[in-house]
Amino acid sequence: MNISAHPEALTFLADHYSDGWQPWPLFWIFPMLFWIIVLTTVFLVRRRFHRHESGIGALRSAFARGEITEEQYRSRLAVLREPKRGKQR
């Protein structure tokens, strides 16, 4: 099938052709979605690992400020480092 056999197709193409490349009107959505996904992933990963160490970090800060003694620090640190048990009711 030859396109030149259909003059209405050639007229349609000629009416809708411009001299340059024009991006799809919503092309900006894909880069924005990419960066939203990347930043959300980084945020969630950092939040997960930061939360894991936040108790120990707070305990170290309290000990460094002199709010708790070394004995209290060691006993609380041992509790924080215990393996997690199932939920108790």
Side-chain angles (χ1 to χ4, degrees):
M1 181 167 182
N2 189 352
I3 196 165
S4 62
H6 300 286
E8 64 275 355
L10 289 175
T11 305
F12 177 80
L13 291 173
D15 288 344
H16 292 87
Y17 178 77
S18 63
D19 287 342
W21 178 81
Q22 292 184 357
W24 183 53
L26 301 176
F27 79 98
W28 55 270
I29 288 177
F30 294 108
M32 185 181 296
L33 283 175
F34 171 77
W35 286 112
I36 288 172
I37 290 170
V38 167
L39 294 174
T40 302
T41 303
V42 168
F43 173 75
L44 292 175
V45 167
R46 288 189 66 193
R47 183 174 153 197
R48 178 180 176 142
F49 288 113
H50 180 69
R51 187 183 319 158
H52 178 68
E53 292 293 325
S54 65
I56 295 173
L59 185 61
R60 287 179 182 157
S61 297
F63 180 64
R65 287 190 302 265
E67 296 173 358
I68 58 175
T69 65
E70 184 177 352
E71 182 180 314
Q72 291 172 327
Y73 171 76
R74 292 187 187 278
S75 66
R76 293 177 185 180
L77 185 61
V79 170
L80 288 174
R81 288 189 174 164
E82 283 180 357
K84 292 183 179 179
R85 298 183 212 138
K87 293 183 179 179
Q88 296 176 357
R89 294 181 184 196

